[in-house]
Amino acid sequence: MKIGVLNSGGDCPGLNAVINGVVGAADKLGWEVYGFIDGFEGLLPEGGDYLKLTPDDTIGIGKLGGTILGTTNKGHFAAKVGVGDVAKIPEEIMSKARENMKLLGVEALVVIGGDGSLTTALQMNQEGFNVVGVPKTIDNDLQATAMSFGFDSAVTTVVDGLDRLQTTGQSHKRVMVLEVMGRHAGWIALWGGIGGGAHVILLPEIEFDLENVAEHIKRREEAGQRSTLVVVAEGARVGGGELITKGDGASEVTLGGVGEVVAHHLEAMTGKDTRSCVLGHLQRGGSPTAIDRILGARFGVKAVKMIESGEYGRMVSYQAYHVDSVPIEEAVHQLRLVNPTGEMVDTARALGICMGDR
Ligand code: F6P
């Protein structure tokens, strides 16, 4: 049997671990693996654009960041436009992909992607392609999996960033604001903030008032604290207002700038010297943590086992220490957001962290 693997959408640490898992498990079954270049786009050129992958090519790549296959979040297969809007992939694009896979003899496809790419995978499955999905979301916001690879690496980068901002903030008696990824869900900010000892965490899911944050900073100063660390998710809305964006991206608006806005207001409100820093793509780059390497490998192996047992139209899912699968349809329709009254937020509050709402 010949199978294909591709990753689509934004990259994140752990993608190569998944590819290695797919190649290793397929090789054990005597199958061949075609790795398509730049996501679904690799299915389109005459004869396909791919690398034939054997364990010799992939053993050891699990520790590398990025993806050996390249990726894109634009192109001909966009099936999800904004939140909840689905576009139909043109028939000529589907036919070309079908033709190339037939020509190569590739019978099934592992699609590693977030809700956008999995929406594409679902449409392909509905049109007769044998597809299994592997969840990829650095924001860790797919409802159908409790954890996705890349998230732990991003949180580790946030913690490291906060540790660094802490020391310079202390030296200069400053408020240091760190803007982190998290478009709809504030998991990176919440986990990173708790792990990195933030004093304030601002999330898309909790409406906050910067007056509350300013009061918190002043109280800390009165208590003798020299500096305050603030983490803000890129999708947080100041005063419940608009998202702060940098323009239109390939498939969604490009977020960015909320950290600077928060810093500007806090400086005016507290009179304290304030600086902001955007962690940006540092969270998506670099080597994966051990957790992400292992999770990625498990996801890749599971995807091949799903093909072996004909579980098409399903996505690998991590639930309570166990890797299982769910229908892709379930995965693309629901985002997993931070519960404002849930255990993680409770933990943050118990640690004295201000969430900006009181
Ligand atoms: O959706 C994942 C994500 O990392 C977001 O947190 C961020 O807004 C976006 O991707 C960045 O995308 P790009 O790489 O296109 O700038």
Side-chain angles (χ1 to χ4, degrees):
M1 178 147 173
K2 294 177 183 175
I3 64 168
V5 58
L6 62 84
N7 44 240
S8 172
D11 72 345
C12 72
L15 281 171
N16 285 324
V18 181
I19 295 166
N20 184 40
V22 168
V23 172
D27 185 68
K28 285 276 171 302
L29 295 168
W31 296 358
E32 286 179 39
V33 180
Y34 288 65
F36 289 96
I37 304 296
D38 291 338
F40 294 101
E41 296 303 296
L43 296 169
L44 292 183
E46 212 49 55
D49 186 10
Y50 60 86
L51 292 173
K52 272 185 87 171
L53 298 172
T54 68
D56 281 347
D57 305 307
T58 63
I59 286 173
I61 65 168
K63 60 178 71 180
L64 303 178
T67 161
I68 60 163
L69 296 176
T71 190
T72 179
N73 52 11
K74 45 186 160 198
H76 297 86
F77 287 82
K80 188 170 165 281
V81 198
V83 182
D85 298 330
V86 174
K88 183 150 172 40
I89 301 161
E91 190 39 51
E92 65 269 24
I93 298 296
M94 287 288 202
S95 304
K96 192 76 218 162
R98 200 189 314 273
E99 207 177 286
N100 277 331
M101 281 176 65
K102 203 166 170 211
L103 198 76
L104 295 169
V106 171
E107 290 173 52
L109 203 54
V110 177
V111 174
I112 314 165
D115 59 343
S117 311
L118 291 173
T119 303
T120 299
L122 182 61
Q123 266 195 44
M124 292 179 80
N125 188 246
Q126 286 161 348
E127 303 231 358
F129 288 79
N130 294 329
V131 179
V132 300
V134 173
K136 173 218 60 88
T137 152
I138 198 124
D139 293 351
N140 208 19
D141 61 359
L142 282 178
Q143 179 65 45
T145 184
M147 185 70 95
S148 183
F149 59 89
F151 175 68
D152 186 61
S153 303
V155 168
T156 302
T157 302
V158 172
V159 168
D160 179 58
L162 285 172
D163 288 354
R164 290 167 191 276
L165 292 177
Q166 165 84 27
T167 58
T168 176
Q170 282 281 108
S171 308
H172 290 269
K173 287 197 192 169
R174 282 175 173 158
V175 175
M176 303 302 288
V177 179
L178 182 64
E179 178 182 315
V180 302
M181 285 186 169
R183 177 169 284 269
H184 307 292
W187 294 111
I188 295 179
L190 185 56
W191 281 58
I194 292 175
H199 308 107
V200 178
I201 301 176
L202 304 174
L203 306 176
E205 294 93 336
I206 298 181
E207 197 170 319
F208 55 89
D209 183 342
L210 287 179
E211 289 291 352
N212 295 328
V213 178
E215 282 309 311
H216 187 74
I217 293 169
K218 286 183 201 157
R219 275 197 303 273
R220 284 179 49 75
E221 196 173 22
E222 281 158 19
Q225 304 295 336
R226 286 174 67 87
S227 72
T228 297
L229 284 177
V230 179
V231 183
V232 56
E234 62 186 354
R237 296 162 194 260
V238 177
E242 293 298 304
L243 282 174
I244 304 199
T245 68
K246 292 198 294 193
D248 286 337
S251 53
E252 299 180 292
V253 287
T254 306
L255 300 180
V258 68
E260 186 53 33
V261 172
V262 165
H264 176 78
H265 286 303
L266 289 180
E267 186 161 75
M269 287 169 170
T270 62
K272 281 199 62 108
D273 209 12
T274 304
R275 295 288 185 272
S276 75
C277 173
V278 181
L279 208 45
H281 292 80
L282 292 173
Q283 293 157 96
R284 292 218 323 232
S287 294
T289 58
I291 296 267
D292 286 339
R293 295 177 196 195
I294 296 162
L295 195 59
R298 291 171 75 190
F299 278 15
V301 170
K302 177 70 180 176
V304 171
K305 289 189 188 298
M306 286 160 64
I307 293 177
E308 191 186 11
S309 52
E311 291 178 63
Y312 298 120
R314 295 180 71 83
M315 181 195 85
V316 173
S317 160
Y318 179 79
Q319 303 295 342
Y321 299 104
H322 181 69
V323 176
D324 213 315
S325 77
V326 293
I328 294 180
E329 195 139 24
E330 245 175 55
V332 293
H333 286 144
Q334 260 184 330
L335 286 180
R336 194 167 59 86
L337 301 179
V338 172
N339 176 358
T341 56
E343 180 263 331
M344 281 292 289
V345 173
D346 259 14
T347 300
R349 292 194 200 277
L351 296 172
I353 297 172
C354 168
M355 306 301 294
D357 55 340
R358 48 179 103 139

